[in-house]
Amino acid sequence: MRRRTFLLAGAISAACGRGPRLNVYNWSDYIAPETIPQFEREFGLRVHYGTYESNQEMLAQVMSGNSGWDVVFPSGDFIGPMHALGLLAPLDHALLPNVSALATEFQRPPWDPELRWCIPYMHGVTGILYQNSLQPAPVSWADLWNPRLRGRLTMLDDQAEVVGACLKKLGYSINSHDPAELLAARPLRRRLCCAPT
């Protein structure tokens, strides 16, 4: 069984042990095309699989009333708000024997220290990728505001990513919650070289 299939099976077992059909809502391109058919054969159920491109899109769908999704994959910073809105069911850890196999830093994540509402599924980082032909190469977040790059950049359409880049340009933590730092970062959003003119 592939790692992703195993993780999906664990999340599904914990969140939904009912019925012949499982409704899974996940980020696009997060599982291999053969994962769903293999999972259906192995566990003898049908999977309705939908995808989204942003946390905001997912939240709008899940909040639309009886959305029907059994398992969703929000980013860590969306766990608290989704719990506060009553959108998450508590996990049954008896159905999750491999939780102890999580890397230490994910066994008590700040967004859900008891892993009561979610299990870490994937981990990512934010960075800058560029073509080797770009000279001089970008060396800091501030380079995203360099006029020579206007019209030559693309950026993930995600509020946290954009604000994070603005905070890094100012020398602050990408995860800052300081109101003064967030206020200072605000005007930089529209001056990014990848922002619409």
Side-chain angles (χ1 to χ4, degrees), residues 141-146 150 153 155 159 161-173 180-197:
W141 288 95
D143 286 335
L144 298 180
W145 283 262
N146 188 322
R150 181 163 297 283
L153 297 176
M155 188 171 199
Q159 184 176 358
E161 296 289 333
V162 174
V163 171
C166 296
L167 288 165
K168 291 299 288 180
K169 179 186 189 303
L170 295 171
Y172 302 138
S173 166
E181 293 177 358
L182 292 170
L183 192 60
R186 188 174 187 178
L188 293 176
R189 291 179 303 162
R190 286 185 175 69
R191 295 199 303 259
L192 265 168
C193 289
C194 55
T197 55

Side-chain angles (χ1 to χ4, degrees), residues 117-129:
W117 309 105
C118 70
I119 295 295
Y121 169 60
M122 286 200 175
H123 175 64
V125 295
T126 296
I128 300 172
L129 300 175

Side-chain angles (χ1 to χ4, degrees), residues 100-119:
S100 61
L102 287 169
T104 305
E105 62 268 30
F106 298 118
Q107 290 186 10
R108 294 186 58 80
W111 56 86
D112 187 9
E114 304 301 320
L115 297 178
R116 183 171 164 84
W117 309 105
C118 70
I119 295 295

Side-chain angles (χ1 to χ4, degrees), residues 55-107:
N55 279 303
Q56 292 79 9
E57 180 184 343
M58 174 275 302
L59 190 59
Q61 175 68 237
V62 171
M63 288 181 64
S64 67
N66 186 11
S67 68
W69 298 110
D70 299 308
V71 180
V72 295
F73 295 81
S75 297
D77 56 335
F78 272 65
I79 300 300
M82 290 180 73
H83 172 251
L85 291 167
L87 299 173
L88 302 176
L91 298 174
D92 182 349
H93 281 240
L95 300 174
L96 298 167
N98 293 316
V99 168
S100 61
L102 287 169
T104 305
E105 62 268 30
F106 298 118
Q107 290 186 10

